[in-house]
Amino acid sequence: QSLVNPPVTFYTDSIQPPQVLNLPALTEAGIDSIDEYRSNGGEFILHDELTDPLCSTLNEVSEDDDTPVFGKLPDGSWLVYDPRLKLEENTPISHLEDGGGLIQSLTGGDSRCVNAPRTFVNEEQCTLSFSPTACGSSGTPDVEIELNANNIAFLHSITGQYIYGVLGLPVVDHEDTTLESPCTVGLRSRWEIKDATECTHSILGTETNATLVDLLTKSSDTNPFVRDIIFPTRGYSCSVDDTLALDDVELVIGGICYKRVHPDHMSVYDFTYWTLDDTHPGNMVAAMEGEYNPIKKWMDLDNNVFLTYPSFPSGDVPNHSAGRWDTHSTKFPMLGRFGDTVLFVDLPNEIRLDEVAQHFGETSSIGGSGVVVCGSPFEAPNDPSEGYQFDMTTRRNIDLWGLGSQREHLWVMVGLTSVDQLRQRVAWALSQLLVVVPGAVSIADSHTEAFLTYYDIFVRNAFGNYGDVLREISYSPLMAENLSFLQSKSAAYMWETQGKISFADENFAREIMQLFSTGLYLLNLDGTQKLDDYGQPIPVYSNDEIMSFSRVWTGFDYQQARGNVEETSWSGNRHDPMRIQSAWRDKFPKTDLTGGYIGDGYPLCIDLPDKMFLRKGARYRLLGSSSSPELMEDHSYFKKDPNIKRFVLDSNSGLKARLCNASNGECQYEMSVTLDTNIDCVGKECIADTVRVVDVGGIYYEYARPPCVEQAFYNNAMKVIYRERWADSSCANPLLPYASEACCSVANLRAQRYPNYLYDQERVLFSTANSRCEEIGMTSCDFNDIGGIETHQKGYHWSTDHCRILLKVNSVGQVAIVYEPEDYAYLHPHIRDDNRNFFKVYWRGDYPKNDNDVTTGNNCGGGICEALVTGGCLCDTVISETLVFSRMPENKEEVLANLNIGAYDPSAFDEGTYTEQEANGVKAYFTSFGIFDRDTVFEVTDEFGRIQRFKNTKENVRIKGAPEYSFRNAPSFMSLLNTEASVRDAEYETEAALDHYLHHDNTAPFVAIRLIQRFTTSNPSPRYVKEVATAFRNGKYGQFGTGAYGDLAATIASVLLEPEARSVTLDADPFRGGLREPILRVMAVLRSMEVEKSEGYPVLRLEGMSDKIGQMAHSFPTVFSFFLPEYRPDGRPGEATLVGPETMIMDMPKMVGMLNGLFSLVKYGLSSCDGGFGAGRGCTEGDFSSAAGQLTL
């Protein structure tokens, strides 16, 4: 109290404070001192509202350029208003009513909308807000950006990124390194489009000239400046003499010249990385010589959006080889080619800003009445009365330091003061199992909250279910960055959009198995390893499974940025579970860990009951006043076109009544509605094959079809055309509602829609399309275009042409799908004959082999298949279906072992469709009573308590003409038709993969061993492991647990209450027990000796613990945590085959560090003296006045 507010006097002839509020005396209630130690008694907080008339004239929110507001106390002392950041409570059950829209409005958009995205974490607690200020996000803006000079310059001005098109890349460099011939099969070559007068037609062989001219003129590439062509795998060839002489080729075709250029010529890249001092070698040289940065100069000095690569000497710039470009260009994110139109979602993160989307005419924001608003777990408000304790990063560029350690300090305080100690210990154990390494996350040194959000997954689910934990960490953006699958894109997408041969990132696919669920080797329930006939452990997975599962983890992306959380202008939304970009997702079948496919056991989409949208199990998600679906994708113009035709439910519709859920005449809309009974159709519902979005009186619901799969190969495929003939074509299953009708009159190939179609871009079956055309006196046709509707109202339309579905077999028996319609202008690369999208299948014996690929080939199945010059065989296919059971199965195990194709719930079909019979623990549902046919459905309950239904059939893919080559048809959640590959199905596939990991036989013993080691003993007996694993599987241990598989309450109870954990007798066994983790040893001392904080130290901070003792929360050195569970220490324990994980970090420096820290704690309190754990100084033994805290016992 010796420091007081100094008196301030404003003389009458001086400038007076413009805004002065009269404050109550400091001795009165309603005003308290805060941060006394930090501010020397100069900070106060006012709890009650002031009644000063001046208040009504002040701004609603404080801005940086506001005039200072002063306060005057009754004694004449002065205070100045110090605005502080205010965070709102926005939890799932107590979220802001308008999603933070009012705050956003009052700040002029400087504060972002707070509304959290709706995910599996918060969906059930979201509400529909009718507040006029409600705000939300519609997801990633669906906007297209042309890469022209003006737009590239704008992107630089708004983002600060250095974005250039590249010129000057050589076809033949100064080292005489040349590009591959454009006649190389499978090669992508680029040709600059010029005026014919600028070129001289190169003299080529007749065959070469005809081939290149044909490919260039028939290309569907619409870029006005360059044309890319890919040399086909079959049907084209070049003259032998020309193959090596096609470097500087110029072809004049009509009035256009096509000049061969480097394949990256005029590609647009973000070169910002290359502007940094320590990246491009010339940057430092230029700085030392006082010259401008050689990468920045093109934009900053010359206002040029092109960077010219110095392939040949120019002034004092040395020549650069083509190889140098190949080496370094991988560091530059590619946007596209100059002249391309690219999607906003495909821009690099640093460019994908809201300001960019708004400039190009769209935003991710929605607002007004009827918005779904949600909160997120533990999104709590700050408490100003606690004073200023922690910093946070915001979009204001304020330099802060030491933020990386704040999460450590919070962990310590929770550990010391929390009353739920067991929950905290379980969370700590889970965090060591499901590790995020701060060093792998770019914001580790500047952000706190994102790491706490990740850790809170374990706190919330400590006694929940391990499946929920696995799901949450898999959708965590921190984990995705940590294990590098964030924004991983499918090989097909990368090839089609960027011309790059790449593969899905495999990091997470490997670690989620090795470290989070199954482990490396097959285990018995008691944790002992299963051995093969040679006594060797059996691997759980091979590289084939890693590659397969890696394709599951494509498409994951940040949610849109929002307010009320710690975030910079671009740090990505690392707080909310990620969303899936369906276009990035791999669309092909994925094998599992048990010799099957991830899609096994799911019903075929073609087997769902007619009008599934009215059947039991149909699910609807509330969209609010927005009619844009979230799990499917409409054209972006649907949002802007007020005349878009939506499916409006009739007033007497039973579906409308269920979705409205009226009470006292008012609809009580639920977030999600799953039909528990079938509903009779009314009006246009009776002629709809399916629906997408339904209008319930101005509020919209999105229909989410139940999980189902498509077979990779099928018979009777039909061609569909996207909008018009010269756009793309594809193949589609006529038994699925995937396209609209196209009706033609005689001799007129300009088609039209059925005039009474139900909604824009309606999907119907092929048979429905034919019926509609016949109804108006027309026929389905192989049309040229669709008249009478706008471009954005067109989608895929059925034609009358057929499709062949071929397969391409590589040297190891993997297959790729090839579509071959009867006549087409363009096929997407992922279904062309040159695609590289191979996946594993299970051949029944041998498979066609190209003699050029392997030493023991079979001439591609005895010449039945076509041998490709690029390797592999191209084969025609036929699908055969086989009945499996002609009798009642003897038990459920026989059903599970022999059937793979799932079936939908028979009770969702019309009454009388099925009759039921039960025997041997198996239910059979017959369409013809007692007759076992391919439509018979078997229902069993598996060992995990899940009801499984299967169709009584198997499908095999056979090589046409060589039926001895066959494999089981492969199911996939994702459609190969781009418009039908939806977020919905990607989420279903992700859930199926997580379910597969969770229910693998290894997961229970694997998790049991890891948790036992964290709590009781490093070397548990097989009996102990089996009991814990059984509790995990049964979900019950005594009175603990819900009975659900993976229940952690039951698992932890068994870990702690099993006799082996509690036996005093076993304490004498040298094989039992384990070393306490270093950080838990420190925390135990602090808690047991009742550490108390010193005045002025509201937070106890342990400093440098990783260096001193080798361990600290939120400071994992690797994804393998601090130590390996299988680590055997040297000496007698290791010789006795005992593991001691904690000993791995107990080297001599760490042991000395532990002793120094503990002795310092006793002698000096929490300080840095003699290697202490704190930061305070003043090293007089017994004098704790300078310590942050001291032991009191």
Side-chain angles (χ1 to χ4, degrees), residues 639-659:
K639 299 176 184 177
K640 305 172 184 177
D641 187 347
N643 298 316
I644 283 295
K645 190 175 184 180
R646 290 294 189 189
F647 193 88
V648 181
L649 297 178
D650 292 347
S651 58
N652 61 339
S653 164
L655 177 60
K656 180 176 183 178
R658 177 64 187 87
L659 297 178

Side-chain angles (χ1 to χ4, degrees), residues 407-421:
R407 51 185 176 266
E408 300 174 5
H409 305 327
L410 285 165
W411 183 86
V412 170
M413 290 303 297
V414 170
L416 292 177
T417 62
S418 178
V419 296
D420 54 352
Q421 284 294 303

Side-chain angles (χ1 to χ4, degrees), residues 672-692:
S672 179
V673 176
T674 299
L675 301 185
D676 52 10
T677 60
N678 294 342
I679 295 177
D680 292 334
C681 67
V682 170
K684 54 182 171 288
E685 296 170 0
C686 299
I687 57 173
D689 287 334
T690 189
V691 296
R692 291 167 65 81

Side-chain angles (χ1 to χ4, degrees), residues 88-92 94-96 114-116 374-376 379 562 564:
E88 303 286 349
E89 181 176 5
N90 192 46
T91 62
S94 184
H95 47 260
L96 293 181
V114 171
N115 196 352
C374 311
S376 68
E379 192 173 323
R562 64 183 182 89
N564 209 48

Side-chain angles (χ1 to χ4, degrees), residues 335-413:
L335 280 70
R337 302 169 301 177
F338 190 83
D340 279 349
T341 297
V342 299
L343 295 175
F344 175 82
V345 70
D346 287 334
L347 295 176
N349 291 332
E350 294 77 9
I351 304 172
R352 202 171 64 172
L353 306 181
D354 285 342
E355 294 84 350
V356 171
Q358 290 167 7
H359 174 81
F360 290 102
E362 189 159 334
T363 175
S364 62
S365 298
I366 56 176
S369 180
V371 174
V372 174
V373 293
C374 311
S376 68
F378 292 173
E379 192 173 323
N382 57 330
D383 185 354
S385 66
E386 294 292 335
Y388 176 67
Q389 307 302 336
F390 297 102
D391 285 316
M392 69 180 296
T393 298
T394 68
R395 287 191 287 167
R396 308 296 176 92
N397 293 319
I398 300 174
D399 291 329
L400 300 170
W401 59 275
L403 297 188
S405 60
Q406 287 191 150
R407 51 185 176 266
E408 300 174 5
H409 305 327
L410 285 165
W411 183 86
V412 170
M413 290 303 297

Side-chain angles (χ1 to χ4, degrees), residues 653-675:
S653 164
L655 177 60
K656 180 176 183 178
R658 177 64 187 87
L659 297 178
C660 172
N661 189 34
S663 176
N664 297 323
E666 297 288 334
C667 290
Q668 307 296 317
Y669 301 108
E670 300 173 72
M671 283 297 109
S672 179
V673 176
T674 299
L675 301 185

Side-chain angles (χ1 to χ4, degrees), residues 205-266:
T206 302
E207 190 176 11
T208 303
N209 190 78
T211 289
L212 293 178
V213 168
D214 194 53
L215 292 175
L216 286 166
T217 54
K218 288 185 176 179
S219 170
S220 60
D221 191 346
T222 58
N223 187 289
F225 303 105
V226 293
R227 180 153 298 174
D228 287 357
I229 60 173
I230 298 172
F231 201 88
T233 58
R234 54 196 179 117
Y236 288 88
S237 60
C238 291
S239 305
V240 176
D241 294 341
D242 290 332
T243 302
L244 301 176
L246 296 173
D247 297 330
D248 294 310
V249 180
E250 295 179 341
L251 298 176
V252 178
I253 307 173
I256 300 175
C257 166
Y258 295 94
K259 178 180 176 59
R260 174 82 191 281
V261 292
H262 189 280
D264 290 332
H265 176 72
M266 296 189 80

